[in-house]
Amino acid sequence: MRRWMTTLAAIAMLALAAAPSRAVGPIVDWDPAYFYFPGATAADQPAGGILRCVGTVSQFGPPLDFLNASMPATEYTFYIDGLTSQGTNSFGPPATTIYTTFYTGGTIAIYADPTPDAAFDPNPPNANVPSTFQDEGQPLLTGNFTSLLVTTNNFTAFQVGNIEGDIQWTGGTLIGLLGPEGQPCPGLFTGGATWNTSPGVGIPGYLFRHDGKIDLQCPTPTKKSTWSRVKGLYK
Amino acid sequence: MSRLATLLLLAACALAAPNPARAQSLLFDYLGFDYESPNLLPGEFGEDGSGYVGLGTVPFLFAPLTGNTALNEYTFVLQGLTATGYMTVGNYRIISYTPGVITIYEDPKAGGTTGDFGSNPPNATAPGTFADGTAILVGTLTDFRFVVDTNNGTGSFEAVFNVTGGTQLANFPLNQRTGWTFSGSSGNALNIPEGYEHQIDGQTFLNAPSKTHRTTWGRLKAGFR
């Protein structure tokens, strides 16, 4: 009985063993991205309001690392639309209050544009935002947000917080690369956010500057084995 | 003599007086993972006395820093920070730290050592492979504060940044060596190597040069009569 349990434990350990060559970097990194939500503040994002975001991709990682975001001839951009605020909750004493705002819905699309023109013009929406981030042709990737949380506060000296959410990929020309056997792994949209309005950091009319990335949340690979091999390890 | 020295000092202060509405510029972007060392209470983050270490890559450098990312790997190590206390607000912990240092290294891709996180740091490759090559920038971090959701590691940190050393120190005018840094953190990513706490993704900004004010000796003296 004891040997049987040992064998089962060994199988479980093998099944959970991480492959040595796990990708560590993000698939997409950006700098910068700006969120906008007219009428909202870091401490109050009214329920029902829509949060949107435009950004320029600065770097791609595996399995998209064949794309060169530094090449001036092609501009890689993304647009997030339709994140619906569930209202802002606050907690903590007056001097150290933390605000959390959950969002539902929302989509993301990543584009490659052979005619670079993205412009973070102030006070969006406007003539260039989001249009210069939504370029013609089929997007490289599209997805739906399955969650998104904005965390802010009233006490950080430089006005910093976090925006993080989960993405279910739904389409785009490169969706087949996002997981084994063409099944896309979910994406983790994550990074720091600041509502600092200093020139060079914030832009009038935008709510947050976001420094973030998307990671692929692929399950840890497993290794196939046989009963005899597993038993052989413990003989 | 003493009065003259005082006046000179005051003049220097006046010349170096910062302009409150300064613009800022992005200096570098960084990406990596963090861990605690020493880690006095494994399983807990930010306990008093724990050391905070961050390391990873610096994919983008901006003026007055110079670099060649095609030829070199740029890495960073953030260390020397010790947790001095925390406040709990709901699920969040607001952690304060002693001053620390962030260093950016330039290591040739040909013949250099690629940064390797390994597992359970510190280990044979981390922070070692991130702290090799030429230290092009050294900066102190003060007022370092981490706000983190203890349930999932999602949060952010910030600090005041001051350029103090490195081979590119001379690129920074004397009146432009101050700025700030911030980063998001997440414990939700599945790619966090074993033994690391969070992935981190941050930026450091440099304040615009401090403006100077022209004055005369007469005006300066008059201000102190």
Side-chain angles (χ1 to χ4, degrees):
Chain A
M1 183 65 182
R2 188 173 175 184
R3 190 170 175 187
W4 176 245
M5 289 179 68
T6 305
T7 305
L8 275 176
I11 293 168
M13 288 173 70
L14 279 172
L16 292 172
S21 59
R22 280 196 303 175
V24 171
I27 60 166
V28 176
D29 189 20
W30 53 82
D31 178 46
Y34 284 91
F35 282 85
Y36 58 98
F37 183 160
T41 67
D44 184 16
Q45 295 147 59
I50 302 297
L51 182 67
R52 298 178 174 88
C53 175
V54 290
T56 53
V57 176
S58 53
Q59 193 173 39
F60 289 98
L64 304 181
D65 52 343
F66 62 93
L67 299 172
N68 184 357
S70 303
M71 193 171 60
T74 304
E75 178 180 74
Y76 296 94
T77 57
F78 64 91
Y79 175 52
I80 295 169
D81 188 19
L83 292 162
T84 305
S85 173
Q86 302 305 294
T88 299
N89 298 305
S90 63
F91 46 98
T96 50
T97 302
I98 289 177
Y99 307 96
T100 57
T101 310
F102 287 92
Y103 286 83
T104 58
T107 59
I108 182 171
I110 302 175
Y111 298 89
D113 182 6
T115 56
D117 59 354
F120 294 97
D121 286 357
N123 302 310
N126 54 47
N128 284 324
V129 180
S131 62
T132 59
F133 296 84
Q134 290 177 290
D135 295 291
E136 293 179 7
Q138 194 175 1
L140 301 179
L141 293 169
T142 60
N144 295 330
F145 278 89
T146 55
S147 71
L148 189 108
L149 173 63
V150 174
T151 306
T152 61
N153 58 71
N154 69 349
F155 56 85
T156 46
F158 298 104
Q159 300 169 300
V160 304
N162 185 292
I163 300 177
E164 183 171 292
D166 296 297
I167 299 169
Q168 188 66 52
W169 300 107
T170 55
T173 56
L174 301 181
I175 190 171
L177 301 178
L178 298 188
E181 300 172 0
Q183 296 300 310
C185 300
L188 178 69
F189 178 102
T190 183
T194 177
W195 52 103
N196 191 315
T197 58
S198 298
V201 180
I203 300 174
Y206 292 87
L207 186 55
F208 301 113
R209 177 186 179 122
H210 191 250
D211 177 33
K213 58 199 174 88
I214 297 174
D215 292 300
L216 274 188
Q217 299 281 70
C218 292
T220 305
T222 57
K223 295 176 182 176
K224 288 188 177 180
S225 189
T226 63
W227 275 107
S228 58
R229 277 188 196 151
V230 172
K231 289 178 183 173
L233 292 172
Y234 295 89
K235 279 178 181 170
Chain B
M1 183 64 184
S2 174
R3 190 170 176 188
L4 178 60
T6 305
L7 283 171
L8 282 172
L9 181 64
L10 288 168
C13 290
L15 290 171
N19 182 320
R22 288 174 295 179
Q24 297 164 7
S25 57
L26 183 59
L27 182 62
F28 62 89
D29 188 270
Y30 53 100
L31 190 64
F33 300 96
D34 65 17
Y35 62 94
E36 292 191 314
S37 179
N39 187 1
L40 305 181
L41 291 173
E44 187 173 335
F45 182 77
E47 70 275 18
D48 288 4
S50 63
Y52 181 76
V53 183
L55 45 87
T57 57
V58 180
F60 302 104
L61 303 165
F62 302 94
L65 285 173
T66 61
N68 186 335
T69 53
L71 296 178
N72 303 308
E73 178 186 60
Y74 294 88
T75 55
F76 77 94
V77 177
L78 197 162
Q79 58 191 348
L81 299 148
T82 301
T84 57
Y86 63 82
M87 172 187 286
T88 300
V89 177
N91 295 331
Y92 290 82
R93 183 173 278 192
I94 305 165
I95 312 160
S96 298
Y97 289 85
T98 62
V101 174
I102 186 168
T103 306
I104 297 178
Y105 296 89
E106 178 183 81
D107 196 19
K109 288 183 177 175
T113 310
T114 303
D116 182 357
F117 293 100
S119 57
N120 300 311
N123 56 43
T125 60
T129 58
F130 294 88
D132 56 351
T134 304
I136 63 168
L137 180 73
V138 180
T140 58
L141 299 175
T142 52
D143 298 329
F144 189 95
R145 183 156 54 175
F146 209 131
V147 181
V148 64
D149 185 334
T150 55
N151 287 337
N152 56 24
T154 298
S156 58
F157 66 71
E158 64 170 6
V160 175
F161 168 76
N162 277 289
V163 180
T164 56
T167 58
Q168 296 193 16
L169 175 64
N171 295 8
F172 293 81
L174 288 173
N175 64 346
Q176 194 183 18
R177 294 186 172 180
T178 301
W180 59 286
T181 191
F182 87 108
S183 172
S185 75
S186 178
N188 287 325
L190 298 182
N191 62 1
I192 299 173
E194 184 181 347
Y196 288 83
E197 294 278 350
H198 317 107
Q199 59 171 221
I200 54 176
D201 187 354
Q203 296 188 322
T204 299
F205 295 92
L206 195 62
N207 293 339
S210 304
K211 287 188 178 175
T212 56
H213 303 281
R214 289 190 177 184
T215 189
T216 62
W217 276 109
R219 278 189 197 150
L220 190 60
K221 288 179 185 173
F224 295 91
R225 278 176 182 157

